[in-house]
């Protein structure tokens, strides 16, 4: 079968590999859709300290069960499934407290296990043990189901930032994650949602699809000024930074309303993780700053329900569908910001 394998930073190859064999507690799937994201581009360029090459990449996975290990119950060939990306251990102190996104034993598809840029993939028992293999609801395509994983991460972020009814929400970053944030905030009853990006083309592409109440180009406009004007001088109830930008995080503090919440959704580059925070703004305005680290199995299930019910449509966010042979082109398209979501159909 064909796979996309990471060998070293800058050395990612489409190559032939033997079909994997599932162990007695595993499930084997025929991958039907595996979406790409900025993380894949990061791995391509820099590798990742959890990846020991060679490793098949791809973590936004949907497919069809083709073989079930002898000890596995509840699954059979032909089942349509979505696979979690971040796999918690289910047993540690955080997991037993229900904090599965910060499990310190977390392992991941495409990092510790071969991922979904392949014709066939083994879903390891680690996934099944934490109920991380999810049935795709009727009416949801494989491509849409592959977007459940990033949507699950967005859901985790908005739960932590308590996005809800009547909120004014600013989303900084108009990539696929930013688009999902806009859609989910609307589904949760946000009053107004404003989308910000430095790149005018990408902002326009995203705004055309997700229709924010205002689209603010940071290269042309002072973002803080614009948000303060749009919110009648009050600031936004929630600011979500879905961009790897310390400057955006610092700006977020300047445009958040009293008792507002700030989600540092996107991580910063490893060599530039420090920002400056006027702690008195946080103190006097009673701000909450929260992080976000991936998603739990339950977030993935909820994401599939949100897609199935139409509360968060994702089909139109998939702007490109490519065969596995073109996966390297897909990374280029993602890196250049030309697409919203690029889905590989192996
Ligand atoms: Zn991803
Ligand atoms: Zn754990």
């Amino acid at each position: 079968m064909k796979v996309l394998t990471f060998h070293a930073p800058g050395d990612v190859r489409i190559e032939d590999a033997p079909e994997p064999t599932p162990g007695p507690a595993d499930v084997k799937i025929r991958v039907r859709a595996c979406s790409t994201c900025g993380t894949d581009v990061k791995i391509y360029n820099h590798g990742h300290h959890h990846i020991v090459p060679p490793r098949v990449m791809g973590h936004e996975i949907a497919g069809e069960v083709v073989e079930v290990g002898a000890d596995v119950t509840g699954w059979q060939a032909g089942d349509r499934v979505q696979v979690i990306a971040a796999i918690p251990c289910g047993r540690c102190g955080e997991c037993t407290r229900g904090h599965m996104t910060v499990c310190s034993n977390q392992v991941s598809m495409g990092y510790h296990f071969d991922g979904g840029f392949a014709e066939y993939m083994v879903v390891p028992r680690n996934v099944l043990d934490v109920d991380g293999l999810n049935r795709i609801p009727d009416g949801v395509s494989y491509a849409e189901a592959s977007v459940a994983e990033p949507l699950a991460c967005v859901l985790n972020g908005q739960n932590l930032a308590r996005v809800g009814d009547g909120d004014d929400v600013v989303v900084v970053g108009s990539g696929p994650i930013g688009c999902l944030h806009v859609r989910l905030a609307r589904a949760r009853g946000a009053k107004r949602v404003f989308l910000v990006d430095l790149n005018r083309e990408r902002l326009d592409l995203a705004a055309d699809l997700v229709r924010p109440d205002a689209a603010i180009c940071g290269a042309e406009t002072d973002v803080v000024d614009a948000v303060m004007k749009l919110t009648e001088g009050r600031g936004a109830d929630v600011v979500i930074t879905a961009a790897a930008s310390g400057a955006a995080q610092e700006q977020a503090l300047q445009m958040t309303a009293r008792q507002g919440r700030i989600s540092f959704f996107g991580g910063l580059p490893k060599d530039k993780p420090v920002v400056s925070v006027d702690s008195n703004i946080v103190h006097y305005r009673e701000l909450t700053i929260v992080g976000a680290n991936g998603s739990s199995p339950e977030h993935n299930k909820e994401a599939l329900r949100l897609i199935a019910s139409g509360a968060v449509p994702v089909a139109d966010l998939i702007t490109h569908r490519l065969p596995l042979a073109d996966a390297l082109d897909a990374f280029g398209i993602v890196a250049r910001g030309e697409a919203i979501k690029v889905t590989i159909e192996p």
Side-chain angles (χ1 to χ4, degrees):
M1 65 168 187
K2 293 281 181 217
V3 296
L4 181 83
T5 309
F6 173 87
H7 287 273
D11 181 7
V12 173
R13 304 175 207 161
I14 291 161
E15 55 194 20
D16 287 306
E19 270 187 39
T21 311
D26 303 332
V27 164
K28 177 177 168 180
I29 65 170
R30 173 74 177 88
V31 180
R32 294 298 181 191
C34 186
S35 285
T36 58
C37 76
T39 304
D40 296 311
V41 176
K42 241 190 281 178
I43 293 169
Y44 177 96
N45 288 323
H46 307 294
H48 190 279
H49 61 284
H50 283 151
I51 297 183
V52 180
R55 174 66 68 213
V56 177
M57 295 173 61
H59 59 271
E60 303 183 0
I61 306 158
E64 180 186 349
V65 173
V66 290
E67 198 181 330
V68 174
D71 300 344
V72 175
T73 53
W75 297 103
Q76 59 182 37
D79 287 342
R80 294 174 356 108
V81 293
Q82 181 262 351
V83 186
I84 58 168
I87 311 163
C89 75
R91 295 181 303 270
C92 72
E94 298 309 331
C95 283
T96 52
R97 284 173 176 82
H99 306 161
M100 285 195 165
T101 53
V102 288
C103 169
S104 53
N105 306 316
Q106 188 186 89
V107 287
S108 302
M109 297 305 297
Y111 294 69
H112 306 80
F113 301 100
D114 280 339
F117 293 138
E119 290 174 67
Y120 293 91
M121 188 196 84
V122 164
V123 179
R125 69 170 305 160
N126 308 56
V127 168
L128 296 160
D129 283 349
V130 293
D131 198 17
L133 187 63
N134 298 310
R135 229 167 271 282
I136 300 174
D138 291 340
V140 175
S141 71
Y142 288 115
E144 290 169 288
S146 72
V147 182
E149 191 278 330
L151 179 57
C153 299
V154 164
L155 181 61
N156 177 41
Q158 293 205 12
N159 284 348
L160 290 165
R162 306 191 310 274
V163 175
D165 230 10
D167 283 339
D168 283 335
V169 177
V170 173
V171 176
V172 183
S174 68
I177 290 289
C179 289
L180 291 170
H181 270 299
V182 172
R183 288 238 163 112
L184 181 64
R186 292 241 193 259
R188 295 170 73 112
K191 185 170 72 173
R192 294 178 295 191
V193 187
F194 308 119
L195 184 60
V196 178
D197 204 295
L198 281 172
N199 179 331
R200 165 57 73 181
E201 270 172 60
R202 192 164 87 148
L203 179 64
D204 289 345
L205 178 68
D208 263 356
L209 286 167
V210 298
R211 301 272 164 205
D213 292 276
I216 305 161
C217 178
E220 300 163 9
T221 314
D222 183 302
V223 174
V224 175
D225 260 11
V227 168
M228 295 311 285
K229 280 197 191 99
L230 285 161
T231 55
E232 300 82 35
R234 192 175 159 259
D237 297 288
V238 181
V239 178
I240 299 165
T241 60
S245 162
Q249 293 186 347
E250 290 176 358
Q251 280 182 335
L253 264 96
Q254 307 298 322
M255 55 186 176
T256 303
R258 286 170 171 75
Q259 288 202 345
R261 287 86 67 199
I262 296 164
S263 169
F264 288 170
F265 187 88
L268 297 185
K270 248 201 317 253
D271 56 346
K272 271 192 110 184
V274 179
V275 295
S276 80
V277 169
D278 181 340
S279 129
N280 275 336
I281 295 182
V282 178
H283 173 77
Y284 288 111
R285 294 191 197 166
E286 299 187 349
L287 304 185
T288 306
I289 301 175
V290 291
N293 183 53
S295 61
S296 71
E298 192 47 48
H299 291 130
N300 281 254
K301 291 185 196 307
E302 177 66 16
L304 281 168
R305 285 193 289 267
L306 288 164
I307 294 168
S309 71
V312 180
V314 297
D316 60 339
L317 301 182
I318 301 166
T319 51
H320 297 64
R321 293 175 181 227
L322 298 172
L324 186 61
D326 297 340
L328 288 174
D329 299 337
F331 290 3
I333 293 168
V334 172
R336 291 190 299 274
E338 293 167 6
I340 301 295
K341 205 69 182 162
V342 185
T343 299
I344 302 297
E345 297 177 316

